[in-house]
Every structure is written in structure tokens, then in C-alpha cells.
Amino acid sequence: MTEIERIDQLREELHLHNYKYYVENAPVISDQEFDHLMRELQDLEARHPEHYDPNSPSVRVGSDINKNFVQVEHRYPMLSLGNTYSQAEVTEFYERIAKALNEDFEICCELKYDGTSISLTYENGKLVRAVTRGDGVRGDDVTDNVKTIRAIPLVLHGDGYPRQFEMRGEVLMPWKVFEELNRERELREEPLFANPRNAASGTLKLQNSAEVAARKLDSYLYYMLGENLPHDGHYENLQEAARWGFKVSHVTRKVKTLQEIFDFINYWDVERKNLPVATDGIVLKVNSLRQQRNLGYTAKSPRWAIAYKFQAERALTRLLKVTYQVGRTGAVTPVANLEPVQLAGTVVKRASLHNADIIASLDLHIGDNVYVEKGGEIIPKITGVDVASRPEGSEKVTFITHCPECGSPLVRYEDEAAYYCTNESSCPPQIKGKIEHFISRRAMNIEGLGPETVDQFYQEGLIHDVADLYTLKAEDLVRLERMGEKSAENIIQGIARSREVPYERVLFALGIRFVGETVAKKVARAFRSIEALATATLDDLIHVDEIGEKIAGSILRYFADEKNRNLIERLRTAGLKLEADEEDLAGHTDKLQGKSIVISGVFARHSRDEYKEMIEKHGGKNVGSISKKTSFILAGENMGPSKLEKARALNIPVMGEDEFLAMVGEQ
Ligand code: AMP
Ligand code: ZN
């Protein structure tokens, strides 16, 4: 078999395994075997760029090229659905249809998935375009991002599909993925997504498809459009689509009577809570496409369909008071304290108020009767006030002006909804939070210490900042409650061992705002010692790859503060690593700083992976495909003709292996 034949074979196999896993939920090979085949395909494809296929299973991993989206017009506008919360209106809908059609009809009952809608165009069995709903007339072309969604077929099975047609459906983020994502965001102190719908639509608009791939979106398709569709029945077309490899819902039912419709509604109003994805209602559609055409459209929505929305679970209770929590970064979050009330199976006593703007828009008063809802959100929220029952002379809720923990005045930064306490060095929750971050596993990894011990040491006055850890003695600790000699000794040893933690992790452990793990690594590589970093200018900082003004500003502010500089001196005295180890940096240079380099072809002196490593070691970035941002192409033998042509067109230099090695000073 030639390599080209093998590529075709692998593509076919991987499409099938992908379908078995993500659509049928019944994998036939292990994840490892799958990865193995994928790697083989990627290697072969890299050697044969002339055999490129935009729908190869390998495009599912995405690429780290940033893209701006192009707006495209929908072939058929994407309308919204008329919707109702009332069963009486469902009856009216049914009767209206019966009267207008004046013949037998069937209704297709479907779940209303709560994600973001997508329009997919297939030509000759291949996905060619994916567009968001946008304003209904035109949306964003998000094809590269959508290709990373495994439940969406890139190449269809079998035959019998029209040469060109459109599938519409919903892109979803499963609850589990959503919760995991929010947990991570919380750790990184990024704003949380309110519900899986926002998370899914936010993800589709990410500029980097590799990031989209990591978010594990799912999708259900629920409508087929085009000329020459196989059947007159919407339901029958969907079953056909399932045979071509689309993921369509198994629970869709075709019914005739109103009673059957209500049975479906009532069943799913309860059962939907056990589904892995969010739903917010059910959709009823007249099944026959001919009858759909007869019924037609209003300006906004089809006359042949209606959405029945489930009531979000809601309760009315009294607002007792508003308290404020201060987080590790000093962000102040208002919390509503409520008279306990039963809601969606739990007793609710507190609800998030998010920020000052939300309080103001609700016009909250203490003692108000408020509506609490638990919709897609994890934390219950207040959605309204029963103003009519407001007690006379009640006090309006105004956001606090000073920190409830330390009394410092609060500030609000431009473009941010939250208020902050900026007293980083003596506001208790901020101090404790900083120490907790410092000792955590990915930072200094000090064994034996945890949030409770930190709290205890702080309460006892043993530590006020991270440098105090290094002057603790076992004798001080054994005096504390619940502290044996052995554990005290372990803690002291754990602290001592942290002196070996490399500079880049110390940098992360300091907890400088916006300097997470990855940024710390970049910074440590660019500024080999903490002095070098402390004396860097704005200009020096923003020249480092991936460091923008926001991060640079935060680093400058950190070192401008004398308290922080003193802290660092004390950490130096304690013996922490505040500069990069020689061996750690072996051979690292910044010769390729800021360069985006594409590797193409087959090499004689080193492997592709070795070249990739070399590029990174010298501060450059290896990117997947050629764009106008590419600095140069590192080309071996047999560079693909299409790549070569693209490089020429964009005027991008092509460099051979020897020339490259000489440039970076390697053999
Ligand atoms: P709305 O946004 O409330 O007007 O509801 C219409 C939206 O519901 C559509 O744009 C789709 O994104 C979504 N939807 C979810 N499930 C379905 C379904 N089974 N059939 C049609 N639309 C659906
Ligand atoms: Zn404070």
C-alpha cells in the first residue's frame, strides 16, 4: 500500500471510530488505539501536504491560528420559534393547525435543547460550512471551530443524501464539561459562565480552534433543509440523517392527538433533569413538509411550529440582608441572605447578586419579597421583586463603599463589574488566600500545609505573609491545638524543601495578578532573575510573546509597591530561588523571539519533533499553517507544492535545514 492509500484508509477508519464513539456511544477500539491511528495519520499527512483534505479527521484537533470570523448570509433565514409557557396555548396552536389544514396531520415532538443554534451545509457528502444564527439573516462562519465537534460528521456515510443540503441543530456544552470548565475558570480567577448556553456560544466564537477542541462540545441536529430531500416527513428525514451519521435525538416522537402531546410534555418536564445536557422546553412541529409550506411563516417564526417552555423553578421569599464576601484577589461579591425556602429539591438560604449593577437594576430593598430561580445556573439567583408587597419605609440596598474585612475603600476598575479591596497586604481574606495559593501543589507545593493550617497559623499570629513561613520553628507549632510533634516536624521539612522549587514556579507562587502558570514560565524565560523582572519597563514586558498591556501593567504595579519589594528581599534571605538555574536554561536563547515558524517537508539531520523543540528553546513558536503572520518556513525535502505556492504568494521566506541550524547555533 502506498502512503497515500494508507492516508485514505486511516481517514475512513477514523471517521468511523469517531462516529461509533461520539454519535452511537459505542466505541469499538480503545482510546489509545484511536490516538495511535490519529498520530499515524497526522505524520503521514505532514509528509504529504499535497494530499490535504479539509475534512480529514485530523482537523478535529483544531489549530492555534487565530481567526476573525467572516459574516455570511444564510441561504434560508434562521427564524426563531413562537413560544409559550401555557398548555392552553399549546391547545390553541393545535386547533389552529387543524382548522387551517383541514386534513389529517402528525406532530413531531422534540426536546428543545438549550445551547446555540448552528447551520451546517453539506455538499457531496462533506461538511463545507458552519454558520451561527447571528441576526437570522447573516451569521458568523465558524466552520473551523465546528469541525472540532466530534458529534458533527465531516464526511457522511452511505449515499442517498442530496448533493447539497443544510442541517440545523444545536451546539451544546454538556453539564459535566460546563461544571469542569467553571471550576478551572474559578481557579484562574476568570469570570464564570452563567449557564451551558452562554458557555457553548462563547466557545464557538473563540478565535483559536484548538481551544474549542479542548472544550468538548456536543451537538444534536433537528432540522433538514434543501431541495430534493428524501421524504416529505420531517421526522423521516431526521431518521435518514441518522443513517448518514448525524446525531439526532432518540426521544423525538411523532404523534397525532393533543393528549399524546401533553403526555410527552409532562414526561419530559420531569425526566429532562436526568439528561446530560440542558433543555428548556419542547418543540412541536407539523411533520409534513408540504403542510409546513401550506402553513407558512409570520415575519418572525414559522406557523407550523411552537416551543413550549418549561417553567424555570421559582420561589418567592424574603430578603433578610445583603452580606459581602471578599475573595483572594480582593473582589467583593454581594450575597443575598434569604428566609429559607424550598426550591428544586433543596432549601435555599442564599442567592448570588453578582455585582452592584444587578442590585441597582433590581432596585432591591431589605425586607422585599423576591423571586428566586434555579434555572440553568448552579447558584440560585434573584430574578425579580414583588414591589407591591414592599414594606413601608424599607431601606434600599446600596453597595458598600468600604471593605467589610479591613475597612479600606473599595475601587472599581474600568471595564470590570466588580469592586475590589486593594489592601492586598493587610486584608485578612487576601492574606490568607495569597498564602494558600503560595503553598498549593502547582506553586511551592508545601506538604503538610493546607487552608485550615494556614487559617490556624494566621489566627494565632504566627504568619502574616508568605515570608513568615520560612522563620517558623517546630517549637512554635507544637504549642498549637491538634498539632503533634510529628506533623509539626513534617511541616517544617516541607517548607524547607520548597527552597528547591525552581524560579518560574516561585514567580507563579507570588500570586501577581494575571500571572498564571504559563505566563510565569514565559516571564521566567525572558527575565532570568527577579531583579531583571523588577526593573523591566512596560516596553520590555510587552515584547515578550503573549504578554499584553494587562499583564504587563499588573507586573509593573506589583514591583512598584514597596511592600512587595520588601517581601521579595525576605524571600531571598530565606533562600528561595529567585533566578533561573543554569542547567534549567541550558541552551535557551531568544534568537527566535517573536517568530512564528512553519515546519514543512522531510528532514535529514533532525526529526520534526526535534526541530519543534529547538524552535521553542530559542523562544520561537511553531505554528501549523502558513498565514501572513508566519515569519519563515523551515523546509526539508518534498515540501508540498500548495504550501510552497502559498509561501510565495505571501512573500514568506523559506529556509533550509542547514541555514536554520546555523542561525540558532545548533549542530
Ligand atoms: P428561541 O431562541 O426561544 O426563539 O427558540 C428557538 C431556538 O430553539 C432555535 O433557534 C434553536 O436554537 C433552539 N432549539 C432547540 N431545540 C430545538 C428543536 N428541537 N427544534 C427547533 N429549534 C430548537
Ligand atoms: Zn479588605
Short mmCIF file of all heavy atoms in Angstrom, two decimals, residues 493-550:
data_model
loop_
_atom_site.label_atom_id
_atom_site.label_comp_id
_atom_site.label_asym_id
_atom_site.label_seq_id
_atom_site.Cartn_x
_atom_site.Cartn_y
_atom_site.Cartn_z
N GLN A 493 9.78 20.59 57.55
CA GLN A 493 10.57 19.99 56.47
C GLN A 493 10.01 20.34 55.10
O GLN A 493 10.75 20.60 54.16
CB GLN A 493 10.62 18.47 56.63
CG GLN A 493 11.73 18.06 57.59
CD GLN A 493 11.68 16.57 57.87
OE1 GLN A 493 11.05 15.82 57.13
NE2 GLN A 493 12.34 16.17 58.94
N GLY A 494 8.67 20.30 55.01
CA GLY A 494 8.02 20.64 53.75
C GLY A 494 8.39 22.06 53.33
O GLY A 494 8.69 22.33 52.16
N ILE A 495 8.39 22.96 54.28
CA ILE A 495 8.74 24.36 53.98
C ILE A 495 10.19 24.43 53.52
O ILE A 495 10.52 25.09 52.53
CB ILE A 495 8.49 25.26 55.21
CG1 ILE A 495 6.99 25.30 55.52
CG2 ILE A 495 9.06 26.65 54.99
CD1 ILE A 495 6.62 26.02 56.80
N ALA A 496 11.06 23.70 54.22
CA ALA A 496 12.49 23.73 53.88
C ALA A 496 12.70 23.23 52.46
O ALA A 496 13.45 23.82 51.68
CB ALA A 496 13.28 22.88 54.87
N ARG A 497 12.00 22.15 52.12
CA ARG A 497 12.17 21.58 50.77
C ARG A 497 11.74 22.56 49.67
O ARG A 497 12.23 22.52 48.56
CB ARG A 497 11.36 20.29 50.64
CG ARG A 497 12.15 19.04 51.05
CD ARG A 497 11.48 17.78 50.51
NE ARG A 497 10.11 17.66 50.98
CZ ARG A 497 9.77 17.10 52.14
NH1 ARG A 497 10.70 16.61 52.95
NH2 ARG A 497 8.50 17.02 52.50
N SER A 498 10.81 23.45 50.00
CA SER A 498 10.31 24.36 48.97
C SER A 498 11.39 25.33 48.50
O SER A 498 11.22 26.02 47.50
CB SER A 498 9.09 25.12 49.48
OG SER A 498 9.48 26.11 50.40
N ARG A 499 12.52 25.39 49.21
CA ARG A 499 13.62 26.26 48.76
C ARG A 499 14.20 25.79 47.44
O ARG A 499 14.89 26.53 46.76
CB ARG A 499 14.73 26.31 49.82
CG ARG A 499 14.28 26.97 51.11
CD ARG A 499 15.46 27.25 52.04
NE ARG A 499 15.06 28.12 53.13
CZ ARG A 499 14.67 27.70 54.33
NH1 ARG A 499 14.64 26.39 54.58
NH2 ARG A 499 14.32 28.55 55.26
N GLU A 500 13.92 24.53 47.10
CA GLU A 500 14.44 23.96 45.85
C GLU A 500 13.52 24.21 44.65
O GLU A 500 13.85 23.88 43.52
CB GLU A 500 14.66 22.45 46.00
CG GLU A 500 15.73 22.06 47.01
CD GLU A 500 17.01 22.84 46.77
OE1 GLU A 500 17.47 22.85 45.61
OE2 GLU A 500 17.53 23.45 47.73
N VAL A 501 12.34 24.75 44.91
CA VAL A 501 11.39 24.95 43.82
C VAL A 501 11.96 25.95 42.81
O VAL A 501 12.46 27.01 43.20
CB VAL A 501 10.04 25.46 44.39
CG1 VAL A 501 9.13 25.99 43.30
CG2 VAL A 501 9.35 24.34 45.16
N PRO A 502 11.93 25.60 41.51
CA PRO A 502 12.54 26.49 40.51
C PRO A 502 11.89 27.88 40.44
O PRO A 502 10.72 28.06 40.76
CB PRO A 502 12.37 25.74 39.18
CG PRO A 502 11.51 24.58 39.44
CD PRO A 502 11.40 24.37 40.92
N TYR A 503 12.70 28.78 39.98
CA TYR A 503 12.33 30.21 39.87
C TYR A 503 10.96 30.44 39.22
O TYR A 503 10.15 31.22 39.70
CB TYR A 503 13.46 30.91 39.09
CG TYR A 503 13.18 32.27 38.54
CD1 TYR A 503 12.82 33.32 39.37
CD2 TYR A 503 13.33 32.51 37.17
CE1 TYR A 503 12.60 34.59 38.84
CE2 TYR A 503 13.12 33.77 36.64
CZ TYR A 503 12.73 34.80 37.48
OH TYR A 503 12.52 36.05 36.96
N GLU A 504 10.69 29.73 38.11
CA GLU A 504 9.45 30.02 37.40
C GLU A 504 8.22 29.71 38.25
O GLU A 504 7.21 30.39 38.17
CB GLU A 504 9.39 29.26 36.06
CG GLU A 504 9.50 27.76 36.23
CD GLU A 504 9.53 27.02 34.89
OE1 GLU A 504 10.23 27.50 33.99
OE2 GLU A 504 8.87 25.98 34.78
N ARG A 505 8.35 28.68 39.12
CA ARG A 505 7.21 28.37 39.98
C ARG A 505 7.11 29.34 41.16
O ARG A 505 6.03 29.63 41.65
CB ARG A 505 7.25 26.92 40.43
CG ARG A 505 6.51 26.03 39.42
CD ARG A 505 6.68 24.57 39.67
NE ARG A 505 6.36 24.17 41.03
CZ ARG A 505 6.83 23.06 41.60
NH1 ARG A 505 7.65 22.26 40.93
NH2 ARG A 505 6.49 22.76 42.83
N VAL A 506 8.26 29.82 41.61
CA VAL A 506 8.24 30.83 42.67
C VAL A 506 7.50 32.07 42.14
O VAL A 506 6.65 32.65 42.81
CB VAL A 506 9.67 31.22 43.11
CG1 VAL A 506 9.63 32.34 44.15
CG2 VAL A 506 10.41 30.01 43.65
N LEU A 507 7.79 32.38 40.89
CA LEU A 507 7.16 33.53 40.25
C LEU A 507 5.64 33.37 40.21
O LEU A 507 4.88 34.29 40.51
CB LEU A 507 7.71 33.63 38.83
CG LEU A 507 7.89 35.00 38.21
CD1 LEU A 507 8.58 35.95 39.15
CD2 LEU A 507 8.71 34.85 36.93
N PHE A 508 5.21 32.18 39.87
CA PHE A 508 3.78 31.87 39.86
C PHE A 508 3.21 31.94 41.28
O PHE A 508 2.14 32.49 41.53
CB PHE A 508 3.58 30.48 39.24
CG PHE A 508 2.20 29.90 39.42
CD1 PHE A 508 1.08 30.59 38.94
CD2 PHE A 508 2.01 28.68 40.04
CE1 PHE A 508 -0.20 30.05 39.09
CE2 PHE A 508 0.74 28.13 40.19
CZ PHE A 508 -0.36 28.83 39.72
N ALA A 509 3.98 31.40 42.25
CA ALA A 509 3.51 31.33 43.64
C ALA A 509 3.27 32.71 44.25
O ALA A 509 2.45 32.86 45.15
CB ALA A 509 4.52 30.54 44.48
N LEU A 510 3.98 33.72 43.77
CA LEU A 510 3.83 35.07 44.33
C LEU A 510 2.41 35.58 44.17
O LEU A 510 1.96 36.46 44.91
CB LEU A 510 4.79 36.04 43.64
CG LEU A 510 6.27 35.86 43.99
CD1 LEU A 510 7.12 36.85 43.19
CD2 LEU A 510 6.51 36.04 45.48
N GLY A 511 1.69 35.03 43.20
CA GLY A 511 0.29 35.41 43.04
C GLY A 511 0.12 36.81 42.46
O GLY A 511 -0.83 37.51 42.80
N ILE A 512 1.01 37.22 41.59
CA ILE A 512 0.85 38.51 40.90
C ILE A 512 -0.38 38.37 40.00
O ILE A 512 -0.52 37.36 39.30
CB ILE A 512 2.09 38.83 40.04
CG1 ILE A 512 3.34 38.83 40.92
CG2 ILE A 512 1.92 40.17 39.32
CD1 ILE A 512 4.63 38.96 40.15
N ARG A 513 -1.25 39.33 40.05
CA ARG A 513 -2.49 39.23 39.30
C ARG A 513 -2.22 38.99 37.81
O ARG A 513 -1.33 39.62 37.25
CB ARG A 513 -3.27 40.53 39.49
CG ARG A 513 -4.71 40.34 39.24
CD ARG A 513 -5.56 41.31 40.00
NE ARG A 513 -6.92 40.98 39.63
CZ ARG A 513 -7.74 41.81 38.99
NH1 ARG A 513 -7.36 43.03 38.74
NH2 ARG A 513 -8.92 41.41 38.65
N PHE A 514 -2.94 38.08 37.21
CA PHE A 514 -2.84 37.68 35.80
C PHE A 514 -1.58 36.89 35.45
O PHE A 514 -1.36 36.53 34.31
CB PHE A 514 -2.92 38.88 34.83
CG PHE A 514 -4.12 39.75 35.05
CD1 PHE A 514 -3.98 41.12 35.23
CD2 PHE A 514 -5.39 39.20 35.10
CE1 PHE A 514 -5.09 41.93 35.45
CE2 PHE A 514 -6.50 40.00 35.32
CZ PHE A 514 -6.34 41.37 35.49
N VAL A 515 -0.70 36.66 36.44
CA VAL A 515 0.48 35.85 36.14
C VAL A 515 0.20 34.42 36.58
O VAL A 515 0.48 34.02 37.70
CB VAL A 515 1.75 36.41 36.81
CG1 VAL A 515 2.96 35.54 36.48
CG2 VAL A 515 2.00 37.83 36.33
N GLY A 516 -0.42 33.65 35.70
CA GLY A 516 -0.71 32.25 35.96
C GLY A 516 0.51 31.41 35.63
O GLY A 516 1.58 31.94 35.36
N GLU A 517 0.30 30.11 35.62
CA GLU A 517 1.42 29.19 35.41
C GLU A 517 2.15 29.42 34.09
O GLU A 517 3.37 29.50 34.05
CB GLU A 517 0.86 27.77 35.39
CG GLU A 517 1.23 26.98 36.60
CD GLU A 517 0.64 25.60 36.50
OE1 GLU A 517 -0.58 25.49 36.29
OE2 GLU A 517 1.40 24.63 36.62
N THR A 518 1.38 29.52 33.02
CA THR A 518 2.01 29.64 31.70
C THR A 518 2.71 30.98 31.55
O THR A 518 3.83 31.04 31.04
CB THR A 518 0.93 29.52 30.59
OG1 THR A 518 -0.15 28.79 31.11
CG2 THR A 518 1.47 28.87 29.39
N VAL A 519 2.04 32.02 32.00
CA VAL A 519 2.66 33.34 31.90
C VAL A 519 3.95 33.36 32.72
O VAL A 519 4.97 33.89 32.28
CB VAL A 519 1.68 34.45 32.35
CG1 VAL A 519 2.39 35.79 32.44
CG2 VAL A 519 0.50 34.53 31.41
N ALA A 520 3.92 32.75 33.91
CA ALA A 520 5.11 32.74 34.76
C ALA A 520 6.28 32.10 34.02
O ALA A 520 7.42 32.57 34.09
CB ALA A 520 4.83 32.00 36.07
N LYS A 521 5.99 31.02 33.30
CA LYS A 521 7.06 30.34 32.54
C LYS A 521 7.65 31.27 31.48
O LYS A 521 8.86 31.38 31.34
CB LYS A 521 6.50 29.11 31.84
CG LYS A 521 6.52 27.90 32.73
CD LYS A 521 6.34 26.63 31.92
CE LYS A 521 6.01 25.51 32.88
NZ LYS A 521 4.83 24.76 32.55
N LYS A 522 6.77 31.93 30.77
CA LYS A 522 7.24 32.84 29.70
C LYS A 522 8.08 33.96 30.30
O LYS A 522 9.13 34.32 29.78
CB LYS A 522 6.05 33.49 28.98
CG LYS A 522 5.15 32.51 28.34
CD LYS A 522 5.30 32.59 26.83
CE LYS A 522 4.62 31.40 26.26
NZ LYS A 522 4.65 30.91 25.07
N VAL A 523 7.56 34.50 31.39
CA VAL A 523 8.25 35.61 32.03
C VAL A 523 9.62 35.16 32.53
O VAL A 523 10.63 35.84 32.34
CB VAL A 523 7.39 36.17 33.20
CG1 VAL A 523 8.19 37.15 34.03
CG2 VAL A 523 6.14 36.83 32.65
N ALA A 524 9.67 33.96 33.13
CA ALA A 524 10.93 33.46 33.69
C ALA A 524 11.96 33.25 32.59
O ALA A 524 13.16 33.42 32.78
CB ALA A 524 10.70 32.17 34.45
N ARG A 525 11.47 32.87 31.41
CA ARG A 525 12.39 32.64 30.32
C ARG A 525 12.93 33.97 29.77
O ARG A 525 14.09 34.08 29.41
CB ARG A 525 11.68 31.87 29.22
CG ARG A 525 12.61 31.23 28.27
CD ARG A 525 11.96 30.08 27.54
NE ARG A 525 11.67 28.96 28.42
CZ ARG A 525 10.93 27.91 28.06
NH1 ARG A 525 10.40 27.87 26.87
NH2 ARG A 525 10.73 26.93 28.90
N ALA A 526 12.09 34.97 29.78
CA ALA A 526 12.50 36.26 29.23
C ALA A 526 13.33 37.07 30.23
O ALA A 526 14.25 37.79 29.85
CB ALA A 526 11.28 37.05 28.78
N PHE A 527 13.00 36.96 31.49
CA PHE A 527 13.73 37.70 32.54
C PHE A 527 14.28 36.66 33.50
O PHE A 527 13.53 36.10 34.28
CB PHE A 527 12.81 38.69 33.25
CG PHE A 527 12.13 39.63 32.30
CD1 PHE A 527 10.86 39.34 31.81
CD2 PHE A 527 12.76 40.79 31.87
CE1 PHE A 527 10.23 40.18 30.91
CE2 PHE A 527 12.14 41.64 30.96
CZ PHE A 527 10.87 41.34 30.48
N ARG A 528 15.59 36.44 33.41
CA ARG A 528 16.16 35.28 34.09
C ARG A 528 16.28 35.43 35.59
O ARG A 528 16.65 34.50 36.28
CB ARG A 528 17.56 34.99 33.54
CG ARG A 528 17.67 34.94 32.07
CD ARG A 528 17.26 33.56 31.59
NE ARG A 528 17.42 33.47 30.15
CZ ARG A 528 18.58 33.25 29.56
NH1 ARG A 528 19.67 33.10 30.27
NH2 ARG A 528 18.66 33.18 28.25
N SER A 529 16.04 36.62 36.11
CA SER A 529 16.09 36.77 37.56
C SER A 529 15.00 37.74 37.96
O SER A 529 14.48 38.50 37.13
CB SER A 529 17.45 37.34 37.98
OG SER A 529 17.52 38.69 37.56
N ILE A 530 14.68 37.71 39.24
CA ILE A 530 13.61 38.58 39.69
C ILE A 530 14.03 40.05 39.62
O ILE A 530 13.19 40.92 39.39
CB ILE A 530 13.10 38.15 41.07
CG1 ILE A 530 11.64 38.60 41.23
CG2 ILE A 530 13.95 38.71 42.19
CD1 ILE A 530 10.75 37.61 41.83
N GLU A 531 15.35 40.33 39.75
CA GLU A 531 15.78 41.74 39.58
C GLU A 531 15.51 42.20 38.16
O GLU A 531 15.05 43.31 37.93
CB GLU A 531 17.28 41.96 39.81
CG GLU A 531 17.76 41.84 41.23
CD GLU A 531 18.23 40.44 41.48
OE1 GLU A 531 19.37 40.12 41.10
OE2 GLU A 531 17.44 39.66 42.04
N ALA A 532 15.85 41.30 37.22
CA ALA A 532 15.64 41.67 35.82
C ALA A 532 14.16 41.99 35.59
O ALA A 532 13.82 42.94 34.89
CB ALA A 532 16.09 40.54 34.91
N LEU A 533 13.30 41.21 36.21
CA LEU A 533 11.87 41.43 36.03
C LEU A 533 11.42 42.72 36.74
O LEU A 533 10.66 43.52 36.19
CB LEU A 533 11.08 40.23 36.57
CG LEU A 533 9.57 40.31 36.46
CD1 LEU A 533 9.15 40.41 35.00
CD2 LEU A 533 8.92 39.08 37.10
N ALA A 534 11.96 42.91 37.95
CA ALA A 534 11.54 44.07 38.73
C ALA A 534 11.95 45.39 38.07
O ALA A 534 11.32 46.42 38.28
CB ALA A 534 12.12 43.99 40.14
N THR A 535 13.00 45.34 37.25
CA THR A 535 13.47 46.58 36.63
C THR A 535 13.01 46.70 35.17
O THR A 535 13.37 47.66 34.48
CB THR A 535 15.00 46.67 36.69
OG1 THR A 535 15.54 45.46 36.16
CG2 THR A 535 15.50 46.86 38.11
N ALA A 536 12.24 45.72 34.71
CA ALA A 536 11.77 45.75 33.31
C ALA A 536 10.80 46.91 33.11
O ALA A 536 10.06 47.27 34.02
CB ALA A 536 11.09 44.44 32.96
N THR A 537 10.82 47.48 31.92
CA THR A 537 9.88 48.57 31.61
C THR A 537 8.66 47.98 30.89
O THR A 537 8.68 46.82 30.47
CB THR A 537 10.53 49.58 30.65
OG1 THR A 537 10.80 48.89 29.42
CG2 THR A 537 11.81 50.15 31.21
N LEU A 538 7.67 48.79 30.73
CA LEU A 538 6.46 48.36 30.02
C LEU A 538 6.83 47.81 28.65
O LEU A 538 6.35 46.77 28.21
CB LEU A 538 5.50 49.55 29.87
CG LEU A 538 4.21 49.24 29.12
CD1 LEU A 538 3.33 48.28 29.89
CD2 LEU A 538 3.44 50.52 28.81
N ASP A 539 7.76 48.53 28.00
CA ASP A 539 8.18 48.15 26.67
C ASP A 539 8.85 46.77 26.66
O ASP A 539 8.58 45.93 25.82
CB ASP A 539 9.15 49.21 26.15
CG ASP A 539 8.90 49.46 24.70
OD1 ASP A 539 7.72 49.48 24.32
OD2 ASP A 539 9.89 49.62 23.96
N ASP A 540 9.74 46.56 27.64
CA ASP A 540 10.42 45.25 27.74
C ASP A 540 9.39 44.15 27.89
O ASP A 540 9.47 43.09 27.29
CB ASP A 540 11.32 45.19 28.99
CG ASP A 540 12.43 46.22 28.95
OD1 ASP A 540 12.78 46.66 27.84
OD2 ASP A 540 12.94 46.59 30.04
N LEU A 541 8.41 44.44 28.74
CA LEU A 541 7.43 43.40 29.08
C LEU A 541 6.54 43.03 27.89
O LEU A 541 6.37 41.86 27.59
CB LEU A 541 6.57 43.85 30.26
CG LEU A 541 7.27 43.85 31.62
CD1 LEU A 541 6.46 44.64 32.65
CD2 LEU A 541 7.50 42.43 32.12
N ILE A 542 6.02 44.04 27.22
CA ILE A 542 5.08 43.68 26.16
C ILE A 542 5.77 43.13 24.92
O ILE A 542 5.11 42.64 24.03
CB ILE A 542 4.13 44.85 25.77
CG1 ILE A 542 4.91 46.07 25.34
CG2 ILE A 542 3.18 45.19 26.90
CD1 ILE A 542 4.00 47.21 24.96
N HIS A 543 7.11 43.15 24.93
CA HIS A 543 7.79 42.49 23.82
C HIS A 543 7.86 40.98 24.00
O HIS A 543 8.21 40.26 23.07
CB HIS A 543 9.20 43.07 23.63
CG HIS A 543 9.17 44.20 22.66
ND1 HIS A 543 9.00 45.50 23.07
CD2 HIS A 543 9.20 44.21 21.32
CE1 HIS A 543 8.96 46.27 22.01
NE2 HIS A 543 9.06 45.52 20.93
N VAL A 544 7.51 40.51 25.18
CA VAL A 544 7.52 39.07 25.41
C VAL A 544 6.23 38.49 24.81
O VAL A 544 5.15 39.05 24.99
CB VAL A 544 7.60 38.76 26.92
CG1 VAL A 544 7.57 37.26 27.15
CG2 VAL A 544 8.85 39.39 27.51
N ASP A 545 6.40 37.39 24.11
CA ASP A 545 5.28 36.72 23.45
C ASP A 545 4.15 36.47 24.45
O ASP A 545 4.38 35.98 25.55
CB ASP A 545 5.81 35.38 22.92
CG ASP A 545 4.83 34.74 21.98
OD1 ASP A 545 4.06 35.47 21.36
OD2 ASP A 545 4.86 33.50 21.88
N GLU A 546 2.94 36.80 24.06
CA GLU A 546 1.74 36.56 24.85
C GLU A 546 1.59 37.45 26.08
O GLU A 546 0.72 37.22 26.91
CB GLU A 546 1.62 35.09 25.27
CG GLU A 546 1.02 34.25 24.15
CD GLU A 546 1.12 32.76 24.41
OE1 GLU A 546 0.72 32.35 25.49
OE2 GLU A 546 1.60 32.05 23.51
N ILE A 547 2.46 38.42 26.24
CA ILE A 547 2.26 39.37 27.34
C ILE A 547 1.74 40.67 26.78
O ILE A 547 2.41 41.32 25.98
CB ILE A 547 3.55 39.58 28.15
CG1 ILE A 547 3.90 38.23 28.78
CG2 ILE A 547 3.37 40.66 29.20
CD1 ILE A 547 4.92 38.29 29.83
N GLY A 548 0.53 41.00 27.17
CA GLY A 548 -0.06 42.24 26.68
C GLY A 548 -0.01 43.30 27.77
O GLY A 548 0.60 43.10 28.82
N GLU A 549 -0.71 44.39 27.51
CA GLU A 549 -0.65 45.51 28.46
C GLU A 549 -1.26 45.18 29.80
O GLU A 549 -0.83 45.68 30.83
CB GLU A 549 -1.35 46.72 27.85
CG GLU A 549 -0.64 47.17 26.59
CD GLU A 549 -0.81 48.65 26.32
OE1 GLU A 549 -1.50 49.31 27.12
OE2 GLU A 549 -0.25 49.11 25.31
N LYS A 550 -2.27 44.31 29.78
CA LYS A 550 -2.95 43.98 31.04
C LYS A 550 -1.99 43.29 32.00
O LYS A 550 -1.84 43.68 33.16
CB LYS A 550 -4.15 43.07 30.72
CG LYS A 550 -5.00 42.76 31.91
CD LYS A 550 -6.33 42.12 31.51
CE LYS A 550 -6.25 40.63 31.74
NZ LYS A 550 -7.53 39.94 31.55
#
